[in-house]
């Protein structure tokens, strides 16, 4: 299977989003979490640097801090 790409939504300051993988996630069938064109993740808008989940039931959280930036929790 191919990776799944999930884009974070536009946020309001203080918003929290959690992404949790299911049972079928592996190192080759992973989830890539990307930002929208106008937002960054930890100040980075480069898609090659996007966080990914490669473990079954793995999770990652994000906090929108404003100024078009999501931060990894």
């Amino acid at each position: 299977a191919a990776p799944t790409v999930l884009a974070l939504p536009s946020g309001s300051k203080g918003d929290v989003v959690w992404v949790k993988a299911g049972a079928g996630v592996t190192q080759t069938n992973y989830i890539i979490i990307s930002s929208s064109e106008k937002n960054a993740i930890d100040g980075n808008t480069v898609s090659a640097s996007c966080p990914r989940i490669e473990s079954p039931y793995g999770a990652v959280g994000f906090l929108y801090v404003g100024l078009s930036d999501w931060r990894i929790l």
Side-chain angles (χ1 to χ4, degrees):
T4 300
V5 178
L6 179 107
L8 292 173
S10 296
S12 296
K13 192 172 183 175
D15 284 352
V16 175
V17 173
W18 285 94
V19 179
K20 182 159 177 68
V25 173
T26 66
Q27 289 181 340
T28 56
N29 184 33
Y30 51 87
I31 300 170
I32 299 170
I33 299 108
S34 68
S35 61
S36 67
E37 291 180 14
K38 64 180 183 175
N39 291 314
I41 297 174
D42 278 349
N44 191 349
T45 57
V46 178
S47 61
S49 300
C50 290
R52 57 172 71 180
I53 301 173
E54 298 178 345
S55 300
Y57 307 108
V60 63
F62 300 88
L63 170 67
Y64 191 78
V65 296
L67 302 173
S68 300
D69 197 12
W70 287 95
R71 296 296 166 120
I72 298 172
L73 296 175

